[in-house]
Structures are given as C-alpha cells and as structure tokens.
Amino acid sequence: MAKSVNTRVLPGFMELLPEEQIEFDRIKAIIETEYQKFGFTALDTPAIERSETLLAKAGGETEKQIYRFTKGENDLSLRFDLTVPLARYVADHFDKLSFPFRRCHIAKVYRGESPQKGRFREFYQCDIDVIGKDELSIAYDAEIPSVIYNIFTKLNFGKFTIRVNNRKILNGLMAQLGLSEISVDVMRIIDKVEKISPEDFDWCLHDLGVTDEQIGVLRQFIGISGSNKDILAQLRQLGITEPLFLTGVDELEAVITLMGAMGIKPGYFTIDLSIARGLDYYTGTVYETKLDDYPKLGSICSGGRFDNLASYYTKEKLPGVGISIGLTRLFYQLRELNLIPCSRKTIADVIIVPLDQKAEALAVAARLRAADFRVDVLLEDCSTKKKFQYVSKKDVPVTVVIGDQEVAEKRYTVQTKLADGTIPKKQLSLTELLEKLKKLKGRA
Amino acid sequence: MAKSVNTRVLPGFMELLPEEQIEFDRIKAIIETEYQKFGFTALDTPAIERSETLLAKAGGETEKQIYRFTKGENDLSLRFDLTVPLARYVADHFDKLSFPFRRCHIAKVYRGESPQKGRFREFYQCDIDVIGKDELSIAYDAEIPSVIYNIFTKLNFGKFTIRVNNRKILNGLMAQLGLSEISVDVMRIIDKVEKISPEDFDWCLHDLGVTDEQIGVLRQFIGISGSNKDILAQLRQLGITEPLFLTGVDELEAVITLMGAMGIKPGYFTIDLSIARGLDYYTGTVYETKLDDYPKLGSICSGGRFDNLASYYTKEKLPGVGISIGLTRLFYQLRELNLIPCSRKTIADVIIVPLDQKAEALAVAARLRAADFRVDVLLEDCSTKKKFQYVSKKDVPVTVVIGDQEVAEKRYTVQTKLADGTIPKKQLSLTELLEKLKKLKGRA
C-alpha cells in the first residue's frame, strides 16, 4: 500500500528517537527516585476527567487551551495540570488517606497552546506535594528545597541556585502600604522586576494607582540584599508592624535555618525577595530554581505553599506545599544547549553476536539476564559484516561474539569499549564474563 | 465553598489508593525491568494522534470506541493501542532506526467501551516488539516466551503455562482442505473450542459451509496431544503436503527447541494447536499465557508474529514479533482474587519521628537518603499519640524516634517491625542504623 497517511508527529508534541528517549527516561528516573527518597509515594489519576471538575476553578486561558470533548453523554477533558486532579483525588478519597499525605505524580498533561519553539501541547510534569489536614508545619517547606537540591545535584547540569521567598512578607507589606486590594496585580509586576526596565516597572505600577512614595518603599524593599542572615535582619529593621509581614519573616527564617540543617550547601540557596510566583495560588513560601550558567532558561523547578488545596471540592481545609518540574520543556531546552549528549541507541549493557550458534547465544544471554544484566542478542541471519555494523550503531559497552571455537572451548570473545576509544578483545569464560560485567557496573 | 462538584472518578477508569498504587507500580516495574533485560528500549509516543493515522486500518468496534475530538482544525483521537503508534513511529523515523529494532512501550491507551466489571476505558498496555527490516529470524520468536517466563516467575502469581502455536500450521491445513477463503472465520471458531460445546462448534462450522468430513479432519488435528515432541511428530505424520503447513511445523519446532535452550522449565510451556489468537493480524507464531490455578482469567499475556507492521504507512516490509500485557485489567482481576495484598501506604523504608527536634531529624534523614534509603519525616506539630497513630497507619518497616535524649547521646530509638508482629526497640548510632537498614534491604 502506498504511503499516503500522514505519519509525522503532531506539531507541539514531543517524540524522541531511542537515543534521546534513553536520556529522557534517565532524567525522569532520577527525579522519581529522589522524590521517593523523601517518602513521596507515586499516584496515578486518569488523564480524562469530567470537564466540570477540571474547570471548577479554572477560567480564561485554561479554558481556551483545554482539550475538551464529549463521549456519549459525558462532557470530558484532558487534564491540564496535576494539581487539580490531586485536589479531586484528596477530596474524593479523604477518609482513606492519612495526613500529612505525601504524593508524587509524574505524568503527561495537555494544553492546546499555539505551537511555538519549546512549548508543548503534551508534556510531562513531575510534581510532589505534602498535604496537611487543617494544619501543616512550616518544617515541610524546608524539606522541599532539599528535594530540589538532591535532584539537580544528581542531574549534574552545573551549578544551580534555589531561590526562596515568602508571599506573606509581600502581602504584609501591601497591607502596611494599604495596597492589599490590588496586591495580586502589584505582585505580578514585582515578579517581573528582572524582566522589564525600571521605567516600565514604574509605569505598570502607576497604572495600578500606586503612588511614587509607595513605589519608593517597594523599591527599598526589593533592594534589600546580602547574605540570607543580612536579608532577614534588614527585613526586621524595616519597622513594619503588620502581623502578616512578621509571620512571613519568621517562616522564611525557619525555612532557611532548617535548609542548612539538611545539608544544602550554602551557595546553592538564597533568599530572593523578588520572587512572587505570579499565581495567586501560593500563600506562603515560594521557590524558584535557576541554573547559574543558563539564567535565560528561567526557573526550572518552582513551587510553594498554599493554604487550601481543594476548596472547590471539599469543606476540609487542606494546606500544602509542593513543587513541579516541567520535564518535557526542560529536556528540550537542555538539548538545545547541548547539555544532554545522546549516543546509546539501546539500554542493553551487552550485545551477544552469534556467528551461527543461536542456542548457545540465547543460553549465555539467559545466564547474564539472571544476574540482572540487560542483554541484546543479534539473532538475524545476515553476514558477519552486517552484524558488526549493527553492533557499532548501537554503541553498547560490551560485545560478546560466539562462533564455533567459542562454543567448543566455552570461552567467549568479549570486546569492551574503553573510554579512550580502544576496543580490546579477550577470551572469557561465562564466570569471568559475569565478573567483568559486575565490575563495569560497579557491583563488585 | 460547598462540595458541589462531582469528585468521583469516571466510570470505567481505574484510580487506586496509595497502598494499591504501590503494588501496581511494583508489578509495572518488574515488567519493565524484565523487558529491558532483553534489550527492549523504552519508547514514548503522544497519547493524541491524527484520527486519519489511527483509523487508517481500523474500523468497526475500534471506530465506535475511540475518543475522537477536534481542536482548531485538527481531527484528533486518543490512541486505542500501542501497535498503531509503533507502526507510525517506525514508518516516520525509519531512516534513523537500526533493525532489528527492539522497543518496549508501557503506557495508557483509551477505549470508550460500555462500562462493565473488569473492563476499563483507560488502561495500561505493556508491549514489546522486535521489528525486522524485510526479514526477521524465527529465533526472535523463541526469545519472546523467555521474556514471559521471566516476568511471571518474578511476579510470583503461581504456576503458569505459556502456550505456543503457529498460524501457518492452521492456515496450511485450511489450504489443504480447500477452506482458505474462509480460514479467518474457521480459525475464529477453532479459537473458541474450549469455550463452546461440541454441538455449537459443529453448528458454527456448518454455518460457514464446512462439511462433516472437513470437520472430522479439523477435530483429528485439534485432538493431537502429548508432549511437545509427540505433537510435532503427530503433525508430521498427518500426511499434509501443503508447504505452508510444513513451514509452520518447522518454525514451531525451531521455537520450541530454542525455548528449551533458554532455560524455560519444561512444565511452563507447551504447544497448543487450538490457539489461533482471533485476530488476522498474526501470521506465524502465536502465544498465550495462563495461570494454571485461574484458567478463567483467560490469557494474561498474548502476542505473536506478524508479517508486516506498517503496511498502511510505508512501503517498507517490516515483519515483527511481540507480546502485550493488559496490566490494568490483570491487576484488577488479581486483586479480585486476593492475590495482591496491599498494606504499605508509603514507599518509605523508614519513618523518622522527632518529638520536637526537627533539625536533628532532618539531618538524620539527609544522611539516610544519601545512602539511598527512602525516608519519611513526620514534621507535624501534634501530640506524641497522634504521631504514633500516623506511624502505625503507614506500616513502614523501621521507625526512628528522636527526642532530647537521642539528640544528646547521638543514639536514636529504632523500632523494627518483625515478621512475627513484634516491634523490638534499640538505641542505635547513625552508623549502626545505616548498617541495620542495609541488612534489612539485603545490601550488606
């Protein structure tokens, strides 16, 4: 049949070649493993939800972007994030969960945005949240950056900085200045302070009715700098009496102090009073994470504290704190920067190439797999030349060749690819081969 | 806000509690790990595809069940299996892949079936396939059952049997009998031989115009029994001269012989000439797997050989062989049979409970996590009684209690839940605690 059907992946959807997928999955596994080390247990919710449920809170952009459809009598949508499904889940299963409830969710979400470079319509979010019942200790806010620290240390994309702030400080400042009613708008502008010019900053605030005097206080506040200790001291010296502000400073201090206790190296975290995290969703601690060498990427891991997860679904008060990593976008960006080399086209540790002796090759493979190694066997009936072309394309560390002599002597020809590019050959027994593989994998 | 939004999961969708999800994920991880041990590299394709692509081949039931919708100008659908996306993927990326191409894909697919017990509208499929270019050695057909064997041995759901057949044998028989034109229909009935009465079997075949004489030959053929060797001998003694039949017998013999070489225990696989795998998709070897103690479950892992993966998308000839495990349904069925006990509500190996000493608790947790243990810390400011209620609900093997004395002496109170239900207490230093955890996890 002729090739008439369009087989290209849809615009705005990421589809990777095997060598890229291996790296993507490696990164995803590191994130998941580190999440689990903090006791965050994986959850899975349907990608399809009732539209009324997903859109209970949302509006505007979300509603425009959502993939919505009917099936039978049901008005359905694909989830656009993992937070709304979490809220529904916790509300629905409330009596069967124990709190504080730690959950991890790594899955695809869907947003029908206009396609543009680096924006995806289907993308992985990697979320963790701790949800409390009625209350949740501020100490949890300190644990979250420790997760970020462990993940990005393991991922090894270079030096990074976790920036921490507390929305209560800004909100308290707004209350003190009498700007509470427009605080969300003011904070949205403060959030952009690094991205827009000083003139635009003033202009945006004037536009909201903020006076020059008030802008002066805001600038003085934003200008606070120095070590974490200095910043906390300067905040306390501003003379602000608003209780919300003071609570915010206390919480920020508690978080920063505990972060030190958890072993996060001093250069890797800092108070950044300019962070407001756009959304009015967050109510206390907020986080952003930036790669020091690639500031243009923006925040690669963000999150914060919220007062009430599921107010649209339940009367229970469910405060929480969490973070999210937008993995698909991050992977795309890091690939663009050549920070993720992809060469191996298979996850196999070993390729076995029988010249003709398939039964022996399969038996050896079975023994290696029983020892937890990943083994590809080339069973194709093709020329030896073609067999080695296959091997060299796959870029696997160890190749085992089995011919008549190998079968007779029970010693196999083992080629190992070394870091310097050489590929020495040795004749090894099965036991010796297993020992060698264990050493290569750091298991002996 | 009142609870007015419907938070229940949609009918036909599986949503698990944490203690169930932990077991589901454990099973999924075993399947994935075993797939990878055979060199099957994970792929990921979008859940959304062009409707024209997904429906190029499909029709009938598939078209009715598919979740289809428009977004902008695009006519889109959710995938209903992982094979069609694989065909599209291989056709699209053909020049960048090397063959034989081994891929593993574990992901959700969608079918808007009428809801009924044990049928799901969103479910995980766990697929592997080896795809050849132009040709693919029959030896790959022998490797696939070895994957099944390893998986169900590890999963430990009791004794199972892998049943193997070859469609060419049946098709060759049909040719010999002059029934080729209605062979798909005849084979569909043969596939049901265990499920329907002898009278219904005859009636169904008569209805297709099959004569009593022909039914006699079919029955003689289906009645072949004995050891794998006996069956092969009896097939060769039927006196059938049709080349397709003889090729089928040769292939089946090759597969069975190599399966033995791979270490599959004799009682775990058998030739079963009654298997035809309904679909006309398969053209050679076919597999089914049944739990011996639960025959009513039907086949829990099926698959086979196909001549051409992607004829709707490319002119390249792409033969392949693969299997699929319908994990969501399998999990549901095994839970119904009480074969999957679920007790642990967290993946944590350890819970640390500071009575008040959070910084110390977080520091100890950081040390245990650095040694790759999964650690929950209860940071809530509640009564000691409530803290221990939390611990007992979570059912974690090891609990570490940290109070003033523990901080002063740097020896922590460690409670370990033993198999006999007792929970002995010990005072351990951090080093001793690490040693103990390593022993418990079988790492020392």
Side-chain angles (χ1 to χ4, degrees):
Chain A
M1 206 160 298
K3 180 172 173 164
S4 56
V5 180
N6 189 344
T7 61
R8 303 306 310 273
V9 76
L10 286 159
F13 286 73
M14 179 182 273
E15 181 164 271
L16 302 172
L17 289 168
E19 58 269 34
E20 298 169 317
Q21 191 70 52
I22 287 170
E23 286 304 307
F24 187 94
D25 290 350
R26 191 182 62 80
I27 294 169
K28 185 149 74 73
I30 288 174
I31 295 171
E32 189 171 14
T33 302
E34 293 303 317
Y35 279 173
Q36 293 194 341
K37 278 196 206 161
F38 285 78
F40 290 93
T41 301
L43 275 194
D44 194 359
T45 64
I48 302 175
E49 299 260 8
R50 290 186 180 82
S51 298
E52 61 157 331
T53 309
L54 284 189
L55 295 168
K57 182 182 179 182
E61 275 308 293
T62 306
E63 199 146 353
K64 257 186 269 170
Q65 292 177 355
I66 204 164
Y67 286 96
R68 187 171 181 172
F69 49 93
T70 52
K71 184 82 185 165
E73 290 164 9
N74 296 313
D75 177 1
L76 306 171
S77 293
L78 298 181
R79 65 181 167 214
F80 55 85
D81 73 2
L82 300 176
T83 306
V84 176
L86 172 65
R88 183 198 51 71
Y89 182 96
V90 174
D92 194 32
H93 304 289
F94 183 76
D95 293 333
K96 289 174 185 147
L97 303 176
S98 58
F99 297 88
F101 174 60
R102 291 172 185 253
R103 89 86 173 74
C104 147
H105 198 174
I106 298 180
K108 287 174 172 179
V109 303
Y110 298 85
R111 293 185 197 174
E113 298 193 75
S114 339
Q116 47 176 305
K117 218 168 130 67
R119 305 294 276 186
F120 294 92
R121 290 170 167 178
E122 175 188 69
F123 56 96
Y124 276 94
Q125 285 205 173
C126 310
D127 281 21
I128 47 168
D129 291 277
V130 195
I131 308 298
K133 187 178 161 180
D134 301 321
E135 286 180 307
L136 185 73
S137 165
I138 187 73
Y140 285 100
D141 298 39
E143 213 186 15
I144 295 285
S146 185
V147 184
I148 302 176
Y149 177 75
N150 286 9
I151 287 174
F152 288 97
T153 302
K154 283 264 160 65
L155 287 178
N156 205 19
F157 298 140
K159 172 76 172 60
F160 59 91
T161 307
I162 304 166
R163 297 169 186 221
V164 187
N165 193 13
N166 192 304
R167 292 281 296 246
K168 287 177 186 162
I169 295 174
L170 281 159
N171 284 333
L173 181 72
M174 296 299 149
Q176 183 95 14
L177 293 176
L179 295 172
S180 292
E181 283 186 15
I182 54 164
S183 70
V184 171
D185 300 307
V186 173
M187 272 155 65
R188 245 184 222 125
I189 294 160
I190 289 178
D191 203 21
K192 288 183 193 159
V193 68
E194 288 187 12
K195 293 172 195 154
I196 60 178
S197 70
E199 293 74 28
D200 284 347
F201 184 75
D202 287 3
W203 185 89
C204 288
L205 287 171
H206 283 148
D207 197 45
L208 292 173
V210 182
T211 67
D212 279 333
E213 195 185 349
Q214 288 166 326
I215 293 178
V217 180
L218 290 174
R219 279 202 180 283
Q220 185 189 352
F221 169 80
I222 295 169
I224 291 175
S225 68
S227 70
N228 292 331
K229 223 174 183 173
D230 291 343
I231 292 172
L232 289 165
Q234 287 169 60
L235 283 170
R236 293 203 193 281
Q237 284 156 11
L238 279 179
I240 292 176
T241 52
E242 171 60 41
L244 190 66
F245 179 90
L246 298 172
T247 305
V249 178
D250 288 346
E251 288 185 0
L252 188 56
E253 184 160 28
V255 168
I256 289 291
T257 307
L258 284 174
M259 281 170 77
M262 297 200 73
I264 305 181
K265 281 191 200 155
Y268 286 77
F269 67 105
T270 181
I271 295 175
D272 182 343
L273 298 175
S274 74
I275 297 174
R277 292 300 317 145
L279 300 162
D280 55 358
Y281 178 62
Y282 295 112
T283 52
T285 310
V286 281
Y287 320 99
E288 289 192 352
T289 312
K290 288 185 180 174
L291 294 180
D292 292 7
D293 297 334
Y294 307 96
K296 279 189 184 163
L297 291 192
S299 178
I300 55 173
C301 176
S302 311
R305 156 76 69 145
F306 42 90
D307 266 348
N308 202 353
L309 172 72
S311 61
Y312 288 81
Y313 307 129
T314 173
K315 285 175 185 167
E316 300 287 345
K317 199 189 163 209
L318 302 168
V321 61
I323 45 168
S324 183
I325 299 174
L327 180 55
T328 302
R329 184 172 161 78
L330 178 61
F331 183 83
Y332 173 85
Q333 290 173 321
L334 296 174
R335 280 286 285 160
E336 291 281 297
L337 292 167
N338 284 319
L339 285 176
I340 305 181
C342 302
S343 64
R344 294 186 54 180
K345 294 196 174 194
T346 164
I347 39 78
D349 306 306
V350 185
I351 290 187
I352 300 182
V353 182
L355 298 182
D356 195 30
Q357 302 66 7
K358 287 178 190 171
E360 181 89 4
L362 289 172
V364 171
R367 293 290 298 274
L368 300 184
R369 287 167 186 149
D372 287 338
F373 293 104
R374 293 174 294 193
V375 185
D376 185 357
V377 188
L378 183 56
L379 295 165
E380 223 23 49
D381 303 298
C382 56
S383 68
T384 305
K385 192 183 158 194
K386 270 202 169 173
K387 284 179 184 171
F388 284 98
Q389 280 173 352
Y390 176 87
V391 168
S392 83
K393 266 190 205 165
K394 294 282 186 177
D395 195 24
V396 170
V398 176
T399 306
V400 178
V401 182
I402 299 182
D404 282 335
Q405 199 185 329
E406 282 83 355
V407 174
E409 297 177 3
K410 293 281 172 191
R411 294 183 72 80
Y412 310 104
T413 303
V414 179
Q415 303 178 346
T416 314
K417 205 173 166 182
L418 299 182
D420 64 5
T422 60
I423 308 179
K425 235 185 248 188
K426 271 192 182 173
Q427 304 296 119
L428 299 181
S429 70
L430 183 59
T431 313
E432 290 165 345
L433 174 57
L434 277 166
E435 282 311 306
K436 186 186 184 68
L437 291 173
K438 278 179 196 164
K439 260 185 213 153
L440 280 175
K441 282 268 240 178
R443 282 210 256 138
Chain B
M1 206 160 298
K3 182 174 173 167
S4 56
V5 180
N6 188 344
T7 61
R8 302 307 308 273
V9 76
L10 285 158
F13 287 73
M14 181 182 273
E15 181 163 90
L16 301 173
L17 289 169
E19 58 269 33
E20 298 169 318
Q21 192 70 51
I22 287 170
E23 286 304 307
F24 187 94
D25 290 351
R26 190 181 64 77
I27 294 169
K28 184 149 74 75
I30 288 174
I31 295 171
E32 190 170 15
T33 302
E34 293 303 318
Y35 280 172
Q36 293 194 343
K37 278 196 204 159
F38 285 77
F40 290 93
T41 302
L43 274 194
D44 194 359
T45 64
I48 302 175
E49 299 261 8
R50 289 184 181 83
S51 298
E52 60 158 332
T53 310
L54 284 190
L55 295 169
K57 181 182 179 183
E61 274 308 293
T62 307
E63 198 145 355
K64 258 186 268 169
Q65 292 177 354
I66 204 165
Y67 286 96
R68 187 171 182 172
F69 49 92
T70 52
K71 184 81 186 170
E73 290 164 9
N74 295 314
D75 178 1
L76 306 171
S77 293
L78 299 182
R79 62 181 169 214
F80 56 86
D81 73 3
L82 300 175
T83 306
V84 175
L86 172 65
R88 182 198 49 73
Y89 182 96
V90 173
D92 194 32
H93 304 289
F94 183 77
D95 293 334
K96 289 173 185 148
L97 303 176
S98 57
F99 297 87
F101 174 60
R102 289 172 187 254
R103 88 87 173 75
C104 146
H105 197 174
I106 297 180
K108 288 174 172 180
V109 304
Y110 298 85
R111 293 185 196 172
E113 297 193 75
S114 337
Q116 48 175 304
K117 216 165 133 69
R119 305 294 278 183
F120 294 93
R121 290 170 168 178
E122 176 188 67
F123 56 96
Y124 276 95
Q125 286 205 172
C126 309
D127 281 21
I128 47 168
D129 291 278
V130 195
I131 308 298
K133 187 178 162 182
D134 301 321
E135 285 179 307
L136 186 72
S137 165
I138 187 73
Y140 286 101
D141 298 37
E143 213 186 15
I144 296 284
S146 184
V147 184
I148 302 176
Y149 177 74
N150 286 8
I151 286 174
F152 288 96
T153 301
K154 283 264 159 67
L155 288 177
N156 205 19
F157 297 141
K159 172 75 173 59
F160 58 91
T161 307
I162 305 167
R163 298 169 184 221
V164 187
N165 192 13
N166 192 303
R167 292 282 294 245
K168 286 176 187 163
I169 295 175
L170 281 158
N171 283 334
L173 181 72
M174 297 297 148
Q176 182 95 16
L177 294 176
L179 296 172
S180 292
E181 282 186 16
I182 54 164
S183 71
V184 171
D185 299 308
V186 172
M187 273 155 67
R188 246 184 223 126
I189 294 161
I190 289 178
D191 204 19
K192 288 182 193 160
V193 69
E194 288 186 12
K195 293 172 196 155
I196 61 178
S197 70
E199 292 73 29
D200 284 349
F201 184 74
D202 286 3
W203 187 88
C204 288
L205 288 171
H206 283 149
D207 198 45
L208 291 172
V210 182
T211 66
D212 279 333
E213 196 186 348
Q214 288 168 326
I215 293 178
V217 180
L218 290 174
R219 279 201 180 282
Q220 186 191 353
F221 170 79
I222 295 170
I224 291 175
S225 68
S227 70
N228 292 331
K229 225 175 182 173
D230 291 343
I231 292 172
L232 290 165
Q234 287 170 58
L235 283 170
R236 293 203 194 279
Q237 284 156 11
L238 280 178
I240 293 176
T241 52
E242 170 63 41
L244 190 65
F245 179 90
L246 299 172
T247 306
V249 177
D250 288 346
E251 287 185 0
L252 188 56
E253 183 161 26
V255 168
I256 289 289
T257 307
L258 284 173
M259 280 171 77
M262 297 199 74
I264 304 182
K265 282 191 199 154
Y268 286 77
F269 67 106
T270 182
I271 296 176
D272 181 343
L273 297 175
S274 74
I275 298 174
R277 293 301 316 145
L279 299 163
D280 55 356
Y281 178 62
Y282 295 112
T283 52
T285 310
V286 281
Y287 320 100
E288 289 193 353
T289 314
K290 288 185 181 172
L291 295 180
D292 293 6
D293 298 333
Y294 307 96
K296 280 190 185 164
L297 291 191
S299 178
I300 56 174
C301 177
S302 311
R305 157 76 69 145
F306 41 90
D307 266 349
N308 202 353
L309 173 72
S311 59
Y312 288 81
Y313 307 130
T314 173
K315 286 175 186 166
E316 299 288 344
K317 199 190 161 210
L318 303 167
V321 60
I323 44 166
S324 183
I325 299 174
L327 180 56
T328 302
R329 184 172 161 78
L330 178 62
F331 184 81
Y332 172 84
Q333 291 174 320
L334 296 174
R335 280 286 285 159
E336 291 281 297
L337 292 168
N338 284 317
L339 285 177
I340 305 179
C342 303
S343 64
R344 294 186 55 180
K345 294 196 173 196
T346 164
I347 40 76
D349 306 305
V350 185
I351 288 186
I352 301 183
V353 182
L355 298 182
D356 195 33
Q357 302 67 8
K358 289 178 187 169
E360 182 87 4
L362 289 171
V364 172
R367 292 290 297 276
L368 300 185
R369 287 167 185 148
D372 288 336
F373 293 104
R374 293 175 294 192
V375 186
D376 185 357
V377 188
L378 182 56
L379 295 165
E380 224 22 51
D381 304 298
C382 57
S383 67
T384 305
K385 192 184 157 192
K386 271 201 169 175
K387 284 178 185 170
F388 284 97
Q389 279 173 353
Y390 176 86
V391 168
S392 82
K393 266 191 205 163
K394 293 281 186 178
D395 194 24
V396 170
V398 176
T399 306
V400 178
V401 182
I402 300 183
D404 283 336
Q405 199 184 330
E406 282 83 355
V407 174
E409 296 177 3
K410 293 280 173 194
R411 294 183 73 78
Y412 310 105
T413 303
V414 179
Q415 304 177 345
T416 313
K417 205 173 164 179
L418 299 182
D420 64 6
T422 60
I423 308 179
K425 234 186 246 188
K426 271 192 182 174
Q427 304 296 119
L428 300 181
S429 70
L430 184 58
T431 313
E432 290 164 344
L433 174 58
L434 277 166
E435 282 310 307
K436 185 186 185 64
L437 291 173
K438 277 179 198 166
K439 260 184 215 155
L440 279 175
K441 282 267 240 177
R443 281 210 256 138

